Amino acid sequence: MPPPRTGRGLPWLGLVLSSVCVALGSETQANSTTDALNVLLIIVDDLRPSLGCYGDKLVRSPNIDQLASHSLLFQNAFAQQAVCAPSRVSFLTGRRPDPTRLYDFNSYWRVHAGNFSTIPQYFKENGYVTMSVGKVFHPGISSNHTDDSPYSWSFPPYHPSSEKYENTKTCRGPDGELHANLLCPVDVLDVPEGTLPDKQSTEQAIQLLEKMKTSASPFFLAVGYHKPHIPFRYPKEFQKLYPLENITLAPDPEVPDGLPPVAYNPWMDIRQREDVQALNISVPYGPIPVDFQRKIRQSYFASVSYLDTQVGRLLSALDDLQLANSTIIAFTSDHGWALGEHGEWAKYSNFDVATHVPLMFYVPGRTASLPEAGEKLFPYLDPFDSASQLMEPGRQSMDLVELVSLFPTLAGLAGLQAPPRCPVPSFHVELCREGKNLLKHFRFRDLEEDPYLPGNPRELIAYSQYPRPSDIPQWNSDKPSLKDIKIMGYSIRTIDYRYTVWIGFNPDEFLANFSDIHAGELYFVDSDPLQDHNMYNDSQGGDLFQLLMP
């Protein structure tokens, strides 16, 4: 099994840089040639597609938009479960939550389900030096307290030393005292260590890129950013980008009349923050006061712009090191986040607002022309510069895709053979994937395409799911432990509708009972894009759904 948790902070860097040298000399697998493409995988926490490149007119995200202008951007990408650990294990292994048997934070798939290979592990076994910075796997039991090291990584993953202050009393309130608040704009010089986790992650990732520039082996670098995950702890100057008078409310801030109680998540983690507790909001449906709703949305958008600056600095460094013409860049999020839609303020649901994620791929010479000598594809763009122009995405696909497609697609883009499709069941198979290979969308005539990828958009389906402990909202509805799961909500998203059934689930045997239907939801996307009008018909629900399940 992997070794114990590794150290954090500055001592880590010396260990890593010396380990890189060892790794570079020991990688002798196939594909370690100088012409193999590197991979930079950027994973963001809780980022919905509130970005300029996805049509958001308010959010200032010039650096991510610039990446999109040189990328293939998927407008309709969906996560398989809207909570951190299950989603990350799902797309990093290429398998859905049911095969990984992870619906909470409390088990390690290699012990609990099967010894499944991961994306970085596959690249490592094919001659890549693999590196993890920040939140890639969810830390804790779900990645064996080691971020799945040493299986996935060539040397111990890095976590920023200031991470431990994220949920402590570092937010200065109107009373001048420090609090553990939801809204936490800070003076960076005034916080512990004088820095923030995402700033540290960017700095360390850049130092690794500098080291890898002279490497004869290709690299796979995964960088996980924390923001805009709560608390909204970000440099306070970013608030200036979003004056409160410019902040609108969610277009559908009320709990829909036809919403089954089991589908609602009561956002208990937000209620535990000191500034939200002071509002005395009733549980589970009590609305947040309108002025505070605007402040939440302001801080979420400010966190996104802060994140954008970190992405911009990372990509600018990639350019400066002349690695942009030899590095694939994939950018995505583990899931979305509700900002008042349906009266909800978190993920923890099957709605589009929780499962819809940004997804884009930059492939040098494919999605954009190779940069000329001295040309920069990714010059740093200041979100405070009002003269900066919104950049349109380079190429876009409107087809529905899933995050489990990340594994075969990254492998194919890098010239590796995509893992085979998983059989059913697949617990005994170490290397396989459930997601479709998306190479078809890149118009590569010389690369293998997935014969299972439908050509008709109406044949495309994205699957998501979410567990509940009860038919009605309660204290653990958002994040039930495995033993408490009594109901599983399986959701199908097509180009025309989102269809969800909540059915009985046995956590001891990991079995869903499709004859035990607790509730259902059916939303027609064209006429009800916000999914506010439930058209589910009890008489036909379960039978139709079971026919459409993978």
Side-chain angles (χ1 to χ4, degrees), residues 73-388:
L73 180 145
F74 289 91
Q75 284 283 354
N76 291 296
F78 291 90
Q80 277 51 78
Q81 187 176 328
V83 69
C84 300
S87 176
R88 290 164 187 261
V89 168
S90 172
F91 67 72
L92 288 167
T93 62
R95 309 191 194 215
R96 304 180 190 281
D98 280 342
T100 68
R101 291 182 168 175
L102 182 68
Y103 315 104
D104 57 12
F105 298 79
N106 304 320
S107 66
Y108 180 41
W109 77 90
R110 293 187 189 274
V111 173
H112 199 61
N115 190 29
F116 306 149
S117 297
T118 69
I119 299 175
Q121 178 182 353
Y122 187 59
F123 275 82
K124 180 183 177 186
E125 291 168 351
N126 280 277
Y128 280 69
V129 177
T130 58
M131 302 167 284
S132 174
V133 171
K135 186 177 178 181
V136 178
F137 284 99
H138 192 281
I141 299 174
S142 62
S143 58
N144 203 37
H145 296 288
T146 63
D147 298 295
D148 195 45
S149 184
Y151 295 103
S152 289
W153 311 110
S154 298
F155 43 83
Y158 166 80
H159 285 271
S161 58
S162 63
E163 210 173 57
K164 59 181 173 285
Y165 303 109
E166 277 293 278
N167 294 297
T168 60
K169 293 179 181 290
T170 57
C171 316
R172 197 165 298 281
D175 58 2
E177 300 297 320
L178 294 178
H179 299 275
N181 285 345
L182 172 66
L183 311 182
C184 193
V186 298
D187 182 340
V188 175
L189 296 178
D190 193 39
V191 299
E193 300 187 29
T195 189
L196 295 172
D198 287 347
K199 293 171 69 71
Q200 286 187 291
S201 290
T202 299
E203 292 161 4
Q204 304 299 354
I206 290 172
Q207 292 193 52
L208 287 177
L209 290 175
E210 291 170 346
K211 189 68 179 180
M212 295 305 300
K213 175 177 170 57
T214 58
S215 167
S217 298
F219 65 80
F220 180 103
L221 172 61
V223 181
Y225 284 116
H226 283 262
K227 295 303 116 183
H229 192 288
I230 63 169
F232 299 125
R233 187 168 173 261
Y234 58 91
K236 62 183 180 182
E237 59 266 25
F238 286 89
Q239 271 190 328
K240 298 175 184 176
L241 292 171
Y242 304 99
L244 279 174
E245 59 267 24
N246 294 346
I247 302 298
T248 60
L249 301 179
D252 55 344
E254 306 295 331
V255 179
D257 290 338
L259 185 71
V262 70
Y264 182 79
N265 62 279
W267 33 279
M268 298 302 295
D269 50 358
I270 286 181
R271 297 174 189 274
Q272 296 167 12
R273 310 287 167 168
E274 290 183 31
D275 50 351
V276 177
Q277 284 182 340
L279 300 173
N280 294 317
I281 302 167
S282 62
V283 180
Y285 297 113
I288 291 177
V290 167
D291 60 338
F292 201 85
Q293 290 187 37
R294 286 194 172 91
K295 291 178 180 179
I296 294 177
R297 290 169 68 89
Q298 175 195 48
S299 277
Y300 184 92
F301 300 145
S303 297
V304 172
S305 292
Y306 162 56
L307 159 76
D308 181 78
T309 63
Q310 300 310 304
V311 173
R313 291 190 169 94
L314 177 61
L315 297 183
S316 179
L318 189 81
D319 242 345
D320 291 341
L321 293 167
Q322 299 181 325
L323 290 168
N325 62 353
S326 59
T327 303
I328 298 164
I329 304 170
F331 178 95
T332 194
S333 172
D334 51 1
H335 43 70
W337 212 80
L339 284 169
E341 294 86 358
H342 310 111
E344 297 182 336
W345 296 91
K347 47 256 190 179
Y348 315 131
S349 81
N350 284 318
F351 284 116
D352 278 14
V353 72
T355 57
H356 188 198
V357 295
L359 178 65
M360 63 189 80
F361 297 86
Y362 159 76
V363 186
R366 297 282 193 168
T367 61
S369 300
L370 291 174
E372 302 289 340
E375 178 190 4
K376 292 201 69 172
L377 281 182
F378 306 112
Y380 177 78
L381 301 175
D382 188 347
F384 291 91
D385 183 359
S386 58
S388 62

Side-chain angles (χ1 to χ4, degrees), residues 30-82:
N31 291 321
S32 60
T33 58
T34 55
D35 60 349
L37 289 173
N38 307 306
V39 177
L40 173 60
L41 172 60
I42 302 173
I43 302 170
V44 185
D45 207 339
D46 288 18
L47 178 63
R48 57 195 256 161
S50 291
L51 300 164
C53 54
Y54 279 88
D56 193 302
K57 304 300 183 185
L58 177 66
V59 174
R60 296 189 66 82
S61 52
N63 294 287
I64 298 172
D65 298 344
Q66 180 172 245
L67 172 61
S69 74
H70 298 301
S71 299
L72 171 59
L73 180 145
F74 289 91
Q75 284 283 354
N76 291 296
F78 291 90
Q80 277 51 78
Q81 187 176 328

Side-chain angles (χ1 to χ4, degrees), residues 528-544:
D528 183 23
L530 300 179
Q531 299 168 20
D532 289 323
H533 305 284
N534 183 10
M535 308 299 290
Y536 180 79
N537 183 335
D538 283 332
S539 65
Q540 65 177 10
D543 294 339
L544 176 59

Side-chain angles (χ1 to χ4, degrees), residues 386-425:
S386 58
S388 62
Q389 299 294 316
L390 176 63
M391 296 186 181
E392 296 295 328
R395 282 179 43 213
Q396 302 183 60
S397 171
M398 302 302 294
D399 284 357
L400 276 82
V401 299
E402 303 176 291
L403 284 188
V404 282
S405 289
L406 196 61
F407 198 155
T409 303
L410 275 181
L413 291 175
L416 305 179
Q417 183 174 356
R421 301 268 303 189
C422 288
V424 179

